[in-house]
Amino acid sequence: MFFEAYGRGMAVDEALSRGWVFVSPRSGVNAINDTLDWLRNVRRIQVDKLFLLGHSMGASLILGSDPNLSPTAAAIFAPPGGRLNPKVPTLVAIGKQDLPMIRSAFSGMASGDPDQDEFVFKEYDPAEHLMVVNEGLQDAFRFFDRSAKR
């Protein structure tokens, strides 16, 4: 959906405008590590900085990813729950009209300031489960830009 929906490919455009590679693997327990292996071993791309972007189940995969993985930053939209890695700067975005289960998982945490360094919580109104990605992508990429400078 990052290529065709969510702001008509806005995430792809934002990544490419920065000279970044954008991939969107199918969900699976090893999706992130498998994608990194593919980039390195098949495409011969050296991964210097890794930014993770996920929505719903994709956000859960990020939260449950290999603890040895060291992404530069992550932006997760409407995660149904999970534990944040305190070593990874993370932006969590939910829609005010999303399911109560999703809204309650992280809503008591941190600030709504995308210029904060380590953790940002944003709630978008009006936005429901699918619209939150479109509403929050600009904030996510600003967050990534700040993290890239570290």
Side-chain angles (χ1 to χ4, degrees), residues 7-72:
R8 296 173 41 185
M10 184 189 312
V12 178
D13 292 342
E14 289 290 333
L16 294 177
S17 74
R18 290 163 170 80
W20 299 351
V21 174
F22 187 92
V23 293
S24 182
R26 293 203 181 272
S27 297
V29 174
N30 296 317
I32 298 169
N33 286 332
D34 289 347
T35 301
L36 287 170
D37 287 344
W38 178 80
L39 286 169
R40 291 176 181 135
N41 299 320
V42 175
R43 300 298 301 170
R44 303 283 185 230
I45 295 173
Q46 177 63 39
V47 178
D48 296 321
K49 294 188 184 280
L50 174 64
F51 299 96
L52 301 177
L53 179 67
H55 173 249
S56 198
M57 184 195 305
S60 291
L61 289 173
I62 290 170
L63 293 173
S65 64
D66 182 347
N68 296 316
L69 189 65
S70 298
T72 304

Side-chain angles (χ1 to χ4, degrees), residues 131-145:
M131 293 307 300
V132 69
V133 178
N134 186 54
E135 295 299 316
L137 277 172
Q138 296 296 324
D139 286 337
F141 276 89
R142 274 202 336 256
F143 186 76
F144 288 164
D145 288 339

